[in-house]
Amino acid sequence: MTLPQIVSSKEWRAAREELLVKEKAATRARDALNAERRGLPMVEIDKEYVFEGGDGKTALLDLFEGRHQLVVYHFMFAPEWDAGCRSCSAFLDQIGHLAHLRARGTEFAAVSRAPYTKILPFKARMGWTVPWYSSYDSDFNYDFRVSVEVDDEPCERPGVSCFLRDRDRVFHTYSTYERGLDGLGSTTTLLDLTALGRQEEWEMPRGRASALGAPAGSERIRYHDEYEE
């Protein structure tokens, strides 16, 4: 194994300060990219998708649980598989308490093509409490390009899709796949993919921080058991 070079504390601090300049530049570039993402147009969803969850059959609108936004994790679990994807399972293991997302009007759910009768025991085995739905009876996975054909063979791939709700109208705002998932999992990284973002006053475009009629994002952070629905 090749280890880092051994230097004095003074040399380490100098090297660290040099790297910090680049890290700050990367942060500013990331903020600019997030703002450009929030500036993307959106597409209204007029297709009736059917999902199955703990309460039976449901529609895409119902997955919002009354909130303004929905982040869907496309979990690879084909109908013929006996268990979910290991990499997707590692991703869900990283998802923290959903109260912080929900306080910003954003719901999170996993969706897989496997029937719910297979999802339920695997979810219990993993000890997850996040909402997880089956899209077995719909074209949802195909329309959002996570169930595809490669060399004429069916293939599943991971992804995240974001949706925005305006009353009973649902809009698709963003999707990313595979390496686009690198670094995701925390509340802020998931919010950065959405149209409303973190809802901070400094974010561009202006006006979305107050979209939910609540204080800006960082001002509403609480212990997860202190949030009010």
Side-chain angles (χ1 to χ4, degrees):
M1 182 183 355
T2 302
L3 298 176
Q5 179 184 4
I6 300 174
V7 297
S8 67
S9 294
K10 182 179 179 180
E11 290 172 310
W12 182 89
R13 284 195 298 271
R16 179 67 188 94
E17 289 298 325
E18 184 178 342
L19 180 61
L20 182 60
V21 173
K22 297 178 181 179
E23 289 178 335
K24 287 181 177 294
T27 297
R28 289 191 292 270
R30 183 188 63 203
D31 289 343
L33 182 62
N34 290 339
E36 190 170 347
R37 182 185 294 114
R38 289 189 294 273
L40 284 172
M42 59 186 184
V43 178
E44 185 165 7
I45 305 298
D46 53 13
K47 195 169 186 177
E48 294 292 332
Y49 295 110
V50 177
F51 303 89
E52 185 175 3
D55 296 326
K57 302 291 185 180
T58 189
L60 181 59
L61 179 65
D62 299 320
L63 270 57
F64 284 76
E65 294 290 345
R67 297 180 174 89
H68 289 78
Q69 298 191 121
L70 171 67
V71 176
V72 167
Y73 179 64
H74 300 286
F75 191 112
M76 292 193 297
F77 195 165
E80 63 272 18
W81 298 358
D82 294 324
C85 164
R86 288 181 173 86
S87 295
C88 291
S89 297
F91 183 93
L92 271 199
D93 281 338
Q94 300 176 96
I95 300 299
H97 207 291
L98 295 183
H100 301 292
L101 274 176
R102 290 167 174 168
R104 290 167 176 80
T106 304
E107 184 56 82
F108 177 92
V111 173
S112 300
R113 204 159 53 87
Y116 193 67
T117 52
K118 285 192 172 183
I119 290 175
L120 191 59
F122 184 70
K123 178 182 177 181
R125 171 189 167 187
M126 295 291 101
W128 296 324
T129 59
V130 298
W132 194 355
Y133 300 89
S134 168
S135 60
Y136 181 75
D137 289 328
S138 80
D139 297 328
F140 185 77
N141 276 47
Y142 299 98
D143 290 348
F144 288 91
R145 302 171 57 201
V146 288
S147 292
V148 296
E149 286 196 1
V150 177
D151 297 327
D152 297 323
E153 292 291 333
C155 179
E156 301 290 312
R157 65 173 180 161
V160 167
S161 292
C162 300
F163 302 89
L164 181 68
R165 181 179 67 87
D166 182 10
R167 298 180 178 84
D168 291 338
R169 301 172 69 189
V170 174
F171 301 88
H172 175 222
T173 60
Y174 183 72
S175 285
T176 189
Y177 309 95
E178 297 166 343
R179 286 297 304 276
L181 307 179
D182 287 0
L184 299 181
S186 66
T187 297
T188 51
T189 57
L190 293 174
L191 288 172
D192 283 342
L193 302 183
T194 68
L196 298 182
R198 304 183 191 187
Q199 297 147 46
E200 300 281 3
E201 294 291 351
W202 54 266
E203 287 182 308
M204 300 293 288
R206 300 293 187 191
R208 296 188 186 177
S210 58
L212 304 183
S218 59
E219 296 180 12
R220 76 181 71 149
I221 294 177
R222 303 286 184 270
Y223 295 113
H224 69 246
D225 61 354
E226 291 181 347
Y227 288 116
E228 295 180 5
E229 286 290 337

